Amino acid sequence: MGQTVAEKIISAHADRPVTAGEFVVARVDAAMASDTTAPMAIRAFASMGGRKVWDPSRTVFVIDHAAPAPNERIANLHNLMRDFSRRQNCRLFEAGSGICHQLMIEHEIARPGSLVIGADSHTCTYGAVGAMGIGVGSTDLAAVLLTGKIWLRVPQSIRIVVDGALCPGVRSKDMILSVLRRTGIAGATYMAMEFNGNAVERLSLSERMTLANMTIEAGAKTGFVLPRGLRLPEDPAQILPDPDAIYTETLRLDGAAILPMVSPPHSPDQGVPVTQAAGIRIHYAFIGTCANGRLEDLQAAARILKGARVHPQTRLIIGPASRQVFLDALRDGTVEALTAAGAVFIPPGCGPCVGTHNGVPGDMENVISTGNRNFKGRMGNPLSSIYLASPETVAASAMQGCIADPRTFALEREPA
């Protein structure tokens, strides 16, 4: 019987063939925690009697969710991470380095065929390069730090096939919001989602990361974007499903029929075509997060805003996904174009997305964001409303001061 990608990767790490539904103990290739979860994991590690992590070279801590520290309590938690990393000789990415998931792929820690455990729900992002990324709680991560192993149930898999060329102004963010509209927020609970099809094959790594990142918004345990069309440093054979692999369901979408989407408050699965939300007043626009804060996203926004201005009653905040993204955007003129248009850049990190600092909305304000979640209070204020969209839609809306269809602007400002 053929295997899915999830079954193949877990089999390789359990040292035996496995099928969906089995409980296994598997070897881990890397473990990661951010400043929201690492302090708890460190304390749990100590309570388990831990003295030395199983492999310091495979243990990664990232200060990104409240960075730089907004208050003394967070500053002390950051120091706890620094002290532990220094004593254990673990890898630590300091404040300003970037968002954990961006760094794990940027620095090739999450590699094709690897099993990566992260104390963050969006660890599934690593499926963009054929790694199996699984998010866990701090206590489970502490056990991984102690043993280098994880117990888990082999997930069933859902296949999503998207064929047909995407129209100008349509991105993978619109694709995943369209998928979530079909699955709902619980339609793939504890499953693996596999993306395939010729529309997916044309996507860049950046856009594949958006797809994999938001599989958790359907409840998925992990997500994969099949590597066809993407150059990888390793042989991708181990991360391709067998022709006779078994799936619980196959969803098919026509890529040419996907429209720019907006997900209104307060759930990512409520997406509608942007035309149905056009005209809604926007007070605050945000481009960033582990879903859409990469160079390609900033460049897309700059194409729309170059030579234009952010609406005088709207503010646009941009948080690059990493320092490297910011430097690349600085070199190619993207930062200059966006700053000239009225955007404000903040240090690379997660602050506005999770509502820790660097951009908490006010009462009754409407936010349009490239983030992955719009639950009530997600950005730090339960009295605000968050709309999710692509970088193009966010940029067009920032320029218009209301939710706007990006297709006209994308076509007008597409580089020659």
Side-chain angles (χ1 to χ4, degrees):
M1 183 172 64
Q3 289 185 309
T4 63
V5 176
E7 289 169 333
K8 282 191 172 185
I9 292 178
I10 295 175
S11 293
H13 289 79
D15 298 319
R16 64 179 179 84
V18 303
T19 57
E22 287 187 58
F23 287 89
V24 303
V25 174
R27 291 176 288 102
V28 171
D29 292 306
M32 183 279 298
S34 73
D35 47 336
T36 55
T37 54
M40 291 182 285
I42 291 168
R43 288 166 179 154
F45 177 80
S47 71
M48 294 174 184
R51 294 184 178 274
K52 191 70 177 175
V53 298
W54 106 98
D55 189 337
S57 68
R58 297 170 184 254
T59 303
V60 181
F61 293 121
V62 185
I63 299 175
D64 63 353
H65 276 61
N71 56 54
E72 70 277 10
R73 184 181 67 84
I74 300 298
N76 288 327
L77 293 176
H78 289 174
N79 282 338
L80 174 66
M81 294 173 64
R82 293 180 181 112
D83 292 343
F84 184 84
S85 298
R86 183 169 54 251
R87 285 187 284 106
Q88 295 284 339
N89 200 30
C90 301
R91 189 166 188 174
L92 173 72
F93 287 98
E94 262 292 353
S97 299
I99 298 172
C100 54
H101 308 305
Q102 176 71 18
L103 296 172
M104 292 290 284
I105 290 181
E106 207 172 81
H107 290 265
E108 298 185 356
I109 300 168
R111 303 177 70 86
S114 62
L115 175 60
V116 183
I117 304 301
D120 186 278
S121 58
H122 290 105
T123 302
C124 50
T125 306
Y126 313 150
V129 294
M132 186 170 191
I134 296 177
V136 299
S138 296
T139 305
D140 282 334
L141 189 83
V144 173
L145 298 182
L146 193 65
T147 67
K149 297 179 180 179
I150 185 87
W151 73 270
L152 50 83
R153 176 162 55 88
V154 182
Q156 295 178 309
S157 295
I158 295 178
R159 179 171 52 189
I160 301 98
V161 181
V162 188
D163 288 317
L166 300 180
C167 296
V170 175
R171 296 281 298 280
S172 65
K173 185 57 160 286
D174 304 303
M175 185 186 295
I176 188 62
L177 290 179
S178 298
V179 170
L180 292 174
R181 188 179 180 182
R182 294 268 298 270
T183 63
I185 60 171
T189 299
Y190 210 103
M191 295 183 181
M193 297 175 74
E194 280 186 17
F195 286 87
N196 199 0
N198 55 46
V200 175
E201 290 176 24
R202 298 186 185 102
L203 296 179
S204 65
L205 174 58
S206 175
E207 294 217 76
R208 291 164 187 249
M209 289 174 70
T210 303
L211 284 185
N213 176 274
M214 293 190 66
T215 56
I216 185 64
E217 312 313 333
K221 188 68 173 175
T222 194
F224 299 101
V225 185
L226 298 193
R228 297 185 182 98
L230 184 68
R231 286 189 174 183
L232 292 173
E234 285 91 354
D235 179 3
Q238 63 177 322
I239 48 174
L240 286 172
D242 293 325
D244 56 344
I246 296 176
Y247 298 91
T248 61
E249 184 180 5
T250 296
L251 300 179
R252 297 186 182 275
L253 282 79
D254 178 3
I258 296 175
L259 301 172
M261 300 289 287
V262 171
S263 185
H266 295 285
S267 184
D269 64 341
Q270 301 299 305
V272 298
V274 67
T275 50
Q276 294 185 28
I280 293 174
R281 172 82 172 90
I282 292 297
H283 305 89
Y284 169 14
F286 175 57
I287 297 174
T289 81
C290 55
N292 280 113
R294 288 170 280 281
L295 178 63
E296 191 174 305
D297 303 314
L298 273 56
Q299 290 171 333
R303 284 196 293 270
I304 288 178
L305 283 165
K306 187 174 183 179
R309 289 287 299 176
V310 172
H311 191 277
Q313 295 178 18
T314 301
R315 59 194 183 276
L316 172 59
I317 294 178
I318 299 178
S322 71
R323 180 182 285 118
Q324 188 60 55
V325 167
F326 179 72
L327 288 172
D328 291 342
L330 197 61
R331 292 188 188 101
D332 73 4
T334 297
V335 169
E336 181 180 4
L338 290 169
T339 302
V344 175
F345 278 82
I346 62 172
C350 308
C353 178
V354 291
T356 51
H357 71 148
N358 279 338
V360 175
D363 293 354
M364 311 311 294
E365 285 195 320
N366 291 331
V367 183
I368 190 164
S369 167
T370 62
N372 38 42
R373 288 178 177 161
N374 59 346
F375 305 123
K376 186 181 286 288
R378 169 67 179 180
M379 294 183 71
N381 188 342
L383 298 180
S384 64
S385 296
I386 306 167
Y387 296 79
L388 303 179
S390 71
E392 286 91 339
T393 300
V394 172
S397 302
M399 183 168 60
Q400 294 295 100
C402 60
I403 294 179
D405 190 330
R407 286 173 291 186
T408 300
F409 305 105
L411 289 171
E412 286 179 352
R413 300 176 186 274
E414 193 72 30

